[in-house]
Amino acid sequence: MAKHAVQLDTLLASLDPALHSLAFLFFLDAHAAQAPRELSDQVVGTIINFIKLAAPTQLALAPEKFASLCHRLRDLLISRTEFARGVLPLHWAIGKVQQRCSAEHLTPQHADCLQLCLLAKMYRHGGELLQGDILDIDPKKTGLVHRDFLLYCFYGGTIYVGLKKYQKALDLFMHAITSPAQSVNAITVAAYKRHALVSLILHAQLSPLPKFTPGIVQRGLKACCQDYHDLASIYSSRDAAELKKFVDSHEQAFKADNNLGLAHQVVASVPRRSIQRLTHTYLTLSLSDLASSVHLSSPAEAEKYLLSMIADGEMFAHIDQQAGMVSFEEDPEKYDSLAMAAVVEEHIQRSTKLSKKLALVHEQISSDRTYLTRVHARERNVRYGEHEDYELAPQRMFDTM
């Protein structure tokens, strides 16, 4: 079909994207694959209009082809540097796919939308997309492949870093790192590098990888992320000057990974963490003494750090600029307001929902033929002293999804 551009244009013009969505999808994907660059704006417009009008029931018959078309839209918009233009259409696409399954299903379009949100610096919109609970993966219904899952975790984690929601970023990066694998891929390595930097910012140390991390991934990460391990070693000394010297000397390496800005945040986190430790010792402290204690150049720089930490909710304090003093305070939240009660209620409901979902998944796995066969095989092998490489078992189970 890609060789007959004129015929494809004629066919697309004769079809109604709402009534003939399935046929329109195949012809449009072929047309988008071979359209010249000068017609890219027209192709983008056609794809966006199709996503808006297409019937979800027909798209459900070819989820892989719909995912391919959305990938082409993303690539075209990136080549045209029109990142924001695709955010809303891809959000529509997510809704179209989820209409045939549920809002808890991860789709290939999630990663595409998050990537464009990052490039367009629309972190708030990306954060709203990430707020929905993703509890299901069904490649047959959505066209999802393993790469889509890894990219969702990587781009989602990066958006959370931009929003300074570091714990949520760590969780998503960890999902990418621990995902079943038979080899180390570039997405997993990139996720680990950012996980390492965010771990230093949030916990002042590298978070250990869980035992269920694939062994081949653990060995591969040790070999290709040495700069980040060295950075963590220097960080443990709490010497901001030495840490800055290391980052400056490895600037090209961090820049090549698009992590230079995050590396500088790691350096900036050293005095912030030192200031936090002082809040456990002093109730009141002069800005000059604070600057001396955490090795800052002046009281003005100390005040700058304090204001930033107060704005970010990392501490509670009152600064008397006339006297040059800072008074550290307790958290003013009494946890007795209606707003806080609503937050607690929301968390309880989400926890209850997750508990029910886990019980359902447990029941499904317990009765799954593939799982039961593997468990019986393992018991038999252990009984007779045989061994199997179970490191690849999660990958084989993932492939059967």
Side-chain angles (χ1 to χ4, degrees):
M1 290 189 293
K3 298 180 180 180
H4 305 284
V6 177
Q7 291 89 333
L8 285 174
D9 288 336
T10 304
L11 282 169
L12 290 173
S14 65
L15 295 174
D16 186 330
L19 297 177
H20 314 109
S21 301
L22 185 60
F24 202 101
L25 170 62
F26 277 83
F27 291 132
L28 180 56
D29 186 62
H31 177 60
Q34 52 80 44
R37 180 176 177 81
E38 56 268 19
L39 296 179
S40 60
D41 183 64
Q42 177 184 341
V43 173
V44 167
T46 303
I47 296 176
I48 291 176
N49 186 63
F50 171 73
I51 292 175
K52 184 177 181 179
L53 300 176
T57 53
Q58 296 190 44
L59 295 178
L61 299 174
E64 297 87 356
K65 183 60 67 173
F66 186 51
S68 172
L69 182 66
C70 292
H71 294 335
R72 294 194 194 283
L73 173 62
R74 174 205 61 198
D75 294 339
L76 286 169
L77 291 172
I78 291 176
S79 68
R80 295 176 57 82
T81 64
E82 295 178 340
F83 315 122
R85 186 180 178 187
V87 172
L88 183 58
L90 286 172
H91 203 94
W92 295 338
I94 293 171
K96 298 276 185 178
V97 175
Q98 290 182 335
Q99 280 188 37
R100 302 302 298 170
C101 43
S102 76
E104 297 176 348
H105 277 74
L106 181 63
T107 72
Q109 291 78 12
H110 274 87
D112 294 338
C113 189
L114 291 175
Q115 183 179 5
L116 292 183
C117 286
L118 274 174
L119 295 172
K121 301 188 184 305
M122 298 172 62
Y123 297 105
R124 189 176 300 277
H125 186 91
E128 292 174 356
L129 181 59
L130 290 167
Q131 283 182 354
D133 291 327
I134 297 297
L135 303 175
D136 278 309
I137 290 178
D138 192 337
K140 292 181 180 179
K141 291 183 179 180
T142 63
L144 187 83
V145 296
H146 193 204
R147 184 174 185 272
D148 297 324
F149 172 76
L150 294 176
L151 289 175
Y152 168 79
C153 296
F154 178 72
Y155 293 137
T158 304
I159 283 178
Y160 275 138
V161 170
L163 295 172
K164 295 188 177 181
K165 297 181 178 181
Y166 295 126
Q167 186 55 57
K168 291 185 175 182
L170 286 178
D171 292 341
L172 280 178
F173 288 144
M174 185 60 76
H175 288 324
I177 296 167
T178 58
S179 177
Q182 296 184 16
S183 62
V184 182
N185 61 72
I187 304 173
T188 302
V189 173
Y192 177 77
K193 290 178 177 178
R194 294 196 176 174
H195 182 276
L197 295 174
V198 176
S199 293
L200 293 176
I201 294 173
L202 189 62
H203 301 304
Q205 62 181 359
L206 289 184
S207 300
L209 296 178
K211 294 181 179 179
F212 53 82
T213 306
I216 191 170
V217 172
Q218 296 189 46
R219 293 188 294 271
L221 292 176
K222 290 180 180 179
C224 60
C225 302
Q226 190 58 48
D227 287 344
Y228 293 80
H229 295 152
D230 293 342
L231 180 69
S233 298
I234 298 174
Y235 192 97
S236 62
S237 68
R238 301 176 184 175
D239 188 337
E242 190 65 24
L243 197 64
K244 186 178 185 307
K245 180 179 178 182
F246 178 86
V247 171
D248 291 341
S249 64
H250 293 76
E251 179 178 343
Q252 292 303 318
F254 290 118
K255 185 179 293 185
D257 295 333
N258 291 319
N259 287 334
L260 183 58
L262 200 54
H264 285 307
Q265 290 185 46
V266 171
V267 176
S269 71
V270 174
R272 296 169 79 98
R273 191 165 298 279
S274 298
I275 291 173
Q276 284 181 331
R277 284 197 299 272
L278 291 177
T279 64
H280 301 301
T281 306
Y282 299 96
L283 292 176
T284 304
L285 193 65
S286 69
L287 293 177
S288 57
D289 288 342
L290 188 148
S292 176
S293 298
V294 299
H295 307 292
L296 296 177
S297 60
S298 65
E301 186 179 5
E303 182 180 355
K304 179 180 177 181
Y305 270 98
L306 286 170
L307 290 174
S308 176
M309 294 174 70
I310 293 171
D312 292 341
E314 297 180 24
M315 63 181 298
F316 303 93
H318 173 74
I319 301 175
D320 186 341
Q321 293 180 322
Q322 184 174 1
M325 303 291 292
V326 57
S327 300
F328 302 116
E329 302 171 352
E330 297 292 334
D331 185 352
E333 178 59 60
K334 301 300 182 182
Y335 299 96
D336 56 359
S337 64
L338 291 177
M340 182 55 63
V343 172
V344 173
E345 178 64 23
E346 180 185 356
H347 281 282
I348 291 175
Q349 292 181 358
R350 292 184 66 182
S351 298
T352 302
K353 179 181 177 182
L354 180 59
S355 177
K356 292 180 179 178
K357 181 65 179 180
L358 288 174
L360 178 61
V361 172
H362 176 75
E363 181 179 348
Q364 292 173 343
I365 292 177
S366 299
S367 59
D368 182 77
R369 184 182 298 273
T370 303
Y371 171 76
L372 292 175
T373 301
R374 182 161 298 281
V375 169
H376 293 323
R378 180 177 61 182
E379 292 176 350
R380 185 174 60 252
N381 290 339
V382 171
R383 185 181 307 155
Y384 293 103
E386 299 176 5
H387 299 280
E388 181 184 359
D389 184 6
Y390 287 99
E391 187 174 295
L392 301 181
Q395 177 63 48
R396 289 195 287 269
M397 294 184 69
F398 187 94
D399 293 338
T400 61
M401 294 175 60

